[in-house]
Amino acid sequence: MPLPFELSVADYAAQRASAASPVLLDVREPDEVATAHIAGSIHIPMADIPARIRFAIPSLTTPIVVHCHHGMRSARVADYLQNLGYTHVQNLTGGIDAWSAEIDPTVPVY
């Protein structure tokens, strides 16, 4: 059964606590990451994904959760990754903004 494309921050937080935690891919710009980030994420700006994704995540079966500020850029990247053949890709609904509001209020809102 395929994974749902969208993943809530609550569901991701539960997955993150497990041994089989997916890779969290942050596709925001460097200045955004400097303002706020989720610990343990891999940062590749959206524009750099085509050149860097195969080096950062070489296995097409690696579970990946993509996030940005609100979830729009990350949805585009998640779709792109699926088109490249990555089989376990999800978009973090609401992005880091929802993460801060619902899971970790120590992450700054911007």
Side-chain angles (χ1 to χ4, degrees), residues 78-95:
D79 184 60
Y80 175 77
L81 295 179
Q82 287 179 334
N83 287 328
L84 283 180
Y86 286 89
T87 57
H88 296 86
V89 180
Q90 293 179 289
N91 181 48
L92 189 65
T93 304

Side-chain angles (χ1 to χ4, degrees), residues 4 6 9 13 30 35 37 46 50 53 59-60 64 67 70 75 92-93 100 106:
E6 296 291 336
V9 292
T35 300
H37 72 280
M46 182 177 174
I53 193 63
S59 174
L60 296 177
I64 303 168
H67 91 86
H70 292 289
L92 189 65
T93 304
S100 179
T106 66

Side-chain angles (χ1 to χ4, degrees), residues 16-65:
R16 184 176 164 101
S18 76
S21 180
V23 170
L24 181 62
L25 177 61
D26 185 341
V27 298
R28 297 173 302 139
E29 294 300 313
D31 61 321
E32 293 177 282
V33 175
T35 300
H37 72 280
I38 300 172
S41 62
I42 294 174
H43 176 236
I44 304 174
M46 182 177 174
D48 294 345
I49 290 292
R52 295 179 49 198
I53 193 63
R54 296 274 189 194
F55 297 105
I57 307 173
S59 174
L60 296 177
T61 60
T62 298
I64 303 168
V65 174

Side-chain angles (χ1 to χ4, degrees), residues 26-28 66-74 95-97 110:
D26 185 341
V27 298
R28 297 173 302 139
V66 187
H67 91 86
C68 64
H69 191 193
H70 292 289
M72 296 171 91
R73 286 175 284 178
S74 56
I96 197 167
D97 195 63
Y110 65 97

